Amino acid sequence: MSPISTKKHGDVLVVTSNNPPVNALGHAVREGLVAAIEEADGDDEVKAVVIIGEGQTFFAGADITEFGRAMQNPMLPQVVDIIENCTKPVVSAIHGTALGGGLEVALASHYRVAVASAKLGVPEVKLGLLPGAGGTQRLPRVAGVQKALEMAATGNPIGAKEAYEIGLVDRLIEGDLEQHAVAFAEEVREIRPLPKSSERQDKVEPYRTDRSVFTDFRKANERKFRGFEAPYANIQAIEAAVDKPYAEGVLTERQLFLQLMTGTQARAQQYFFFAERRAAKIDGIPEGTQPRMGKRIGVIGAGTMGGGISMNFLSAGIPVTIVEMAQDALDRGTGVMRGNYEASAAKGRISPGQAQAAMGLLTPTLKLDDLADCDLIIEAVFENMDVKKDIFAKLDKIAKPGAILASNTSYLNIDEIAAATSRPEDVVGLHFFSPANVMKLLEIVRGAKTAPDVLVTAMALAKRIRKVAVVAGVCHGFIGNRMLMPRQVEATKLLLEGATPEQIDRVHVGFGMPMGPFQMADLAGVDIGWHRDPSRIENVRDALCAADRWGQKKGAGFYDYDERRNPTPSPVVEKIIEEFRVKEGVEKREIGNDEIVERTLYTMVNEGARILEEGMAQRASDIDVVWVYGYGWPVYRGGPMFWADTEGLDKIVAGLERRGFEVAKLLREKAEAGEKFTR
Ligand code: 3H9
């Protein structure tokens, strides 16, 4: 049965699409839309058409699962042209989201009406693409060049109210959408000529002589778009909308679309779209497992981590009880949180009312006993097993039956922590990344005895606080930090052998990481994990710490910093490295960038393979989600495991062997079998 059905309301033909979950414009939908327009054209009684979506949304875009496969006619560019060329006025009635191809259908319609909660956007850039069904040509003609640039190159949608203000939506609807859309269609049914967005010139014409909008936009977003191909292709296509007649502009759009579609970046970004959604699926959970309650959260520790974690829940409207040992630490912690909310309000990201409401949900206390009514308690004190065990033993006595007891540890053994309680099935790791109120990633660490409904609750809460969660097994450093270790070890060895911090960081930044290993150490603090004994100097890091070079916070670390935190290479560091080189008897040599890649990135892939082999990650794509959201791995390279696949696993194995590393069994097996990690 076709997902498209038609029915008449008087002389208006209502075309309804019912293709759950998101009304993607798959083949059957496209075919049905064309048939519906033909029906309208061929029926004299029909005077106007309304296109509307059944269920939660209007069309959320092309069907991404069709990409990379042989597509069947009619293709979307044909469909939208058929809609625009309908001899009767076509009204798109929008609720939920009109995204990508969905907005292109709406733009090809002669009119658009929407409910106020609807969102309109062209997120193709996030899939490494551009709107390929006339969207880059019609959007600037309707919404204006500046807005089209913002929407297409960032992929962020706009709300219906804004869309109405800029003329992208013709009327905002309150009440029943279908009924009002039909009434609107009745109003406009006699108007001729039909307004066609492809023919509009008024909003693009002024830019033919003044190009500054494009140069300014490119410049303003230089950092954000670094390394990505799609944002620039989007800009170029919109430039064509200004420079060329519509018929020629769409040819440029098509050419750029095909170029992107066949490239590695689009493949990586589309892979990642599904990887992110797959991560939410937890293996081995009995069907029908229901989440436990998550109405009140307890957080132990009001430091940077505890405060950040609390803010996630407060912002989502969930009350938090936060515990500290001393009043001044508690006051300091809550003060920082308040300051963060106020800063967000000052920047206009939230309203002052929202900031106040969030802080109103916080109960600060010095008594652990006050956590008795919490459904989930997250411990976020410093990394010390004895301290954590002590806290969990106390929680065991305080927490109500069924409460989930979580640790925010980044390395320690959850099973050992769970053993300090009489209810290990209620214990789970919730590893937030710093700054916890900003970073999207959450590692859910599944202990040997963690109950299925505890995992389901953790996943559901993660979604509520807008985190992307990945399930990890119990091992030192879980997925993310465990893979960071070989990188760190090799980067430090490379320093002694002759590479500089700048060279290694440059290779990583050139690869697309937001920063290199030494820039990251300086930002996080070189002193993290330091033994705090200035007389015990066993490596470069000890020497830096002993010399008070703790990173950005001290104005000196692997780099020297000025007052504005601009880094410059440090002669002091060079000297420290030289001293160690002599002491260790390492000979200085020229290090090539290839060697840096093989020793710091191939070794991460190798560790990723071990993690998979040991079942510490459920699937290779989960590892990629951890690295993209936790450490800023460039999404256009898909993540370390996807990247390894694109490099070629045999190449990775050869590189590791050349540098004398033991190759993980799974990696070798896959390379020999000609298989990939991610497909
Ligand atoms: C395009 O339009 C190209 C054209 O310009 C040109 C062509 C020539 N296709 O995210 P959710 C699935 S490119 C297929 O969890 P939410 C998704 O995988 C497209 N499947 O829900 C998931 O499946 P499962 C431009 C899709 O409520 C299920 O739907 N459009 C598609 O949190 C639920 O998804 C976009 O990029 C799709 N297009 O968010 C929009 N979309 O349950 C992409 C979703 O098996 N989509 N699925 O895991 C989204 O941004 C969000 O899904 C949306 C709903 C906001 C719509």
Side-chain angles (χ1 to χ4, degrees):
M1 213 174 70
S2 171
I4 299 289
S5 59
T6 57
K7 62 179 181 239
K8 279 188 201 164
H9 274 272
D11 50 17
V12 176
L13 187 74
V14 176
V15 179
T16 306
S17 176
N18 183 9
N19 187 28
V22 297
N23 262 320
L25 286 148
H27 176 245
V29 174
R30 300 196 300 272
E31 207 170 46
L33 280 176
V34 171
I37 298 296
E38 277 167 4
E39 182 186 337
D41 270 332
D43 186 340
D44 286 344
E45 282 177 14
V46 172
K47 301 293 179 209
V49 181
V50 166
I51 301 178
I52 193 164
E54 181 89 50
Q56 60 173 5
T57 182
F58 192 71
F59 308 107
D63 185 343
I64 309 167
T65 59
E66 285 183 354
F67 290 178
R69 292 195 260 138
M71 296 261 256
Q72 282 176 284
N73 281 329
M75 309 285 251
L76 204 52
Q78 289 165 267
V79 177
V80 294
D81 283 347
I82 288 168
I83 293 173
E84 194 178 62
N85 290 324
C86 181
T87 53
K88 327 273 168 81
V90 179
V91 180
S92 273
I94 302 167
H95 77 297
T97 50
L99 299 178
L103 186 59
E104 290 175 301
V105 165
L107 281 164
S109 304
H110 307 108
Y111 302 96
R112 291 155 291 281
V113 300
V115 295
S117 59
K119 292 215 164 5
L120 297 85
V122 273
E124 283 87 340
V125 72
K126 295 185 179 170
L127 301 169
L129 296 174
L130 50 74
T136 63
Q137 306 304 296
R138 286 194 177 95
L139 188 60
R141 285 176 161 83
V142 177
V145 171
Q146 177 71 41
K147 202 50 153 182
L149 280 173
E150 284 164 21
M151 289 172 72
T154 67
N156 297 332
I158 60 170
K161 283 188 188 145
E162 184 181 355
Y164 174 70
E165 279 156 21
I166 61 172
L168 178 56
V169 160
D170 299 293
R171 183 173 295 170
L172 285 177
I173 303 290
E174 270 180 56
D176 186 80
L177 177 61
E178 182 173 320
Q179 201 185 333
H180 283 86
V182 168
F184 181 91
E186 293 283 4
E187 280 174 44
V188 298
R189 62 180 215 174
E190 303 298 342
I191 297 176
R192 296 293 184 280
L194 289 168
K196 295 186 180 181
S197 48
S198 67
E199 291 175 357
R200 278 182 68 171
Q201 294 299 328
D202 53 313
K203 290 197 173 172
V204 288
E205 214 152 35
Y207 296 95
R208 286 204 183 116
T209 43
D210 180 7
R211 317 296 296 177
S212 58
V213 66
F214 295 106
T215 34
D216 291 351
F217 187 75
R218 280 195 178 92
K219 202 158 175 40
N221 290 287
E222 215 164 13
R223 260 177 79 100
K224 202 196 273 169
F225 298 159
R226 184 176 70 90
F228 285 90
E229 289 162 4
Y232 292 104
N234 272 276
I235 300 171
Q236 208 183 325
I238 292 172
E239 271 184 311
V242 169
D243 294 337
K244 300 178 182 178
Y246 179 81
E248 283 176 38
V250 281
L251 294 181
T252 304
E253 176 191 273
R254 181 101 303 244
Q255 190 200 352
L256 289 167
F257 182 82
L258 292 176
Q259 239 171 47
L260 291 174
M261 191 59 139
T262 48
T264 311
Q265 292 204 352
R267 250 191 329 119
Q269 289 179 252
Q270 286 159 32
Y271 152 82
F272 194 77
F273 176 84
F274 290 111
E276 185 179 334
R277 282 156 181 81
R278 218 174 297 133
K281 305 195 166 52
I282 313 170
D283 290 344
I285 300 290
E287 201 152 328
T289 303
Q290 293 301 315
R292 296 186 189 177
M293 258 213 313
K295 284 198 177 150
R296 176 171 280 278
I297 310 296
V299 174
I300 306 174
T304 317
M305 240 15 229
I309 292 170
S310 303
M311 286 178 73
N312 288 305
F313 293 98
L314 298 174
S315 304
I318 305 173
V320 173
T321 303
I322 191 163
V323 191
E324 250 303 345
M325 305 228 300
Q327 190 64 46
D328 59 338
L330 189 61
D331 292 344
R332 211 177 316 122
T334 50
V336 170
M337 288 160 72
R338 183 170 295 108
N340 284 342
Y341 276 122
E342 281 167 3
S344 291
K347 285 183 195 145
R349 290 201 192 120
I350 54 171
S351 69
Q354 282 170 312
Q356 220 173 7
M359 282 308 283
L361 292 170
L362 183 69
T363 311
T365 175
L366 296 174
K367 294 197 289 274
L368 219 49
D369 286 345
D370 288 346
L371 298 175
D373 63 342
C374 291
D375 303 302
L376 161 68
I377 301 168
I378 306 172
E379 162 277 311
V381 305
F382 59 95
E383 291 284 75
N384 179 305
M385 182 54 97
D386 291 338
V387 174
K388 296 205 191 249
K389 276 186 180 167
D390 182 50
I391 289 177
F392 274 73
K394 285 188 181 134
L395 283 181
D396 193 23
K397 303 213 169 64
I398 296 166
K400 65 181 180 188
I404 297 174
L405 312 180
S407 172
N408 176 52
T409 178
S410 16
Y411 288 96
L412 300 178
N413 187 323
I414 293 294
D415 291 333
E416 207 180 322
I417 296 173
T421 73
S422 64
R423 35 173 143 173
E425 67 282 2
D426 293 340
V427 177
V428 69
L430 290 182
H431 179 211
F432 289 82
F433 285 67
S434 188
N437 53 322
V438 178
M439 296 296 285
K440 289 266 299 180
L441 182 67
L442 175 67
E443 280 180 329
I444 299 178
V445 188
R446 180 181 202 160
K449 297 192 176 153
T450 309
D453 61 349
V454 168
L455 294 168
V456 168
T457 313
M459 195 54 89
L461 278 172
K463 196 162 183 168
R464 263 191 82 186
I465 59 172
R466 295 163 171 240
K467 297 282 177 212
V468 177
V470 171
V471 175
V474 177
C475 58
H476 191 67
F478 315 124
I479 297 174
N481 284 342
R482 178 169 162 181
M483 285 168 73
L484 202 57
M485 280 183 274
R487 184 182 96 163
Q488 217 61 17
V489 168
E490 286 309 307
T492 312
K493 280 191 190 160
L494 280 161
L495 287 186
L496 289 194
E497 292 169 42
T500 59
E502 309 83 84
Q503 185 192 4
I504 296 171
D505 285 343
R506 206 169 37 238
V507 168
H508 280 251
V509 172
F511 180 82
M513 300 296 292
M515 61 186 101
F518 299 106
Q519 289 163 322
M520 189 169 147
D522 275 1
L523 183 67
V526 184
D527 61 314
I528 288 183
W530 179 44
H531 47 59
R532 317 253 145 199
D533 178 359
S535 64
R536 208 176 110 202
I537 296 180
E538 287 159 5
N539 53 39
V540 172
R541 200 173 266 258
D542 289 347
L544 291 188
C545 288
D548 217 24
R549 301 186 68 95
W550 295 10
Q552 286 197 19
K553 58 189 167 191
K554 294 264 187 177
F558 282 97
Y559 296 88
D560 289 333
Y561 293 89
D562 63 17
E563 324 69 62
R564 301 177 65 200
R565 298 203 168 188
N566 291 318
T568 41
S570 164
V572 180
V573 173
E574 203 184 312
K575 197 162 154 276
I576 291 176
I577 295 170
E578 182 60 39
E579 278 167 16
F580 264 88
R581 190 175 289 137
V582 173
K583 196 171 136 203
E584 305 268 310
V586 179
E587 204 172 317
K588 186 175 179 182
R589 64 187 170 86
E590 194 78 22
I591 307 276
N593 291 349
D594 282 0
E595 181 171 347
I596 294 174
V597 168
E598 287 171 1
R599 289 177 58 182
T600 59
L601 295 178
Y602 284 16
T603 46
M604 283 178 53
V605 172
N606 205 26
E607 198 59 38
R610 286 198 189 103
I611 287 172
L612 267 183
E613 206 175 287
E614 295 167 18
M616 294 298 153
Q618 302 186 115
R619 44 190 93 88
S621 59
D622 283 5
I623 297 177
D624 288 341
V625 172
V626 164
W627 270 84
V628 168
Y629 279 127
Y631 303 85
W633 184 282
V635 65
Y636 59 78
R637 292 191 197 272
M641 306 316 273
F642 181 90
W643 173 70
D645 285 343
T646 56
E647 279 280 286
L649 297 189
D650 43 359
K651 187 176 163 197
I652 305 269
V653 169
L656 287 167
E657 281 177 339
R658 188 169 44 247
R659 304 287 167 202
F661 294 102
E662 191 184 329
V663 177
K665 190 162 150 276
L666 185 70
L667 171 56
R668 188 182 295 284
E669 279 170 7
K670 287 210 174 274
E672 282 172 3
E675 288 173 4
K676 292 179 187 299
F677 282 121
T678 58
R679 264 144 297 151

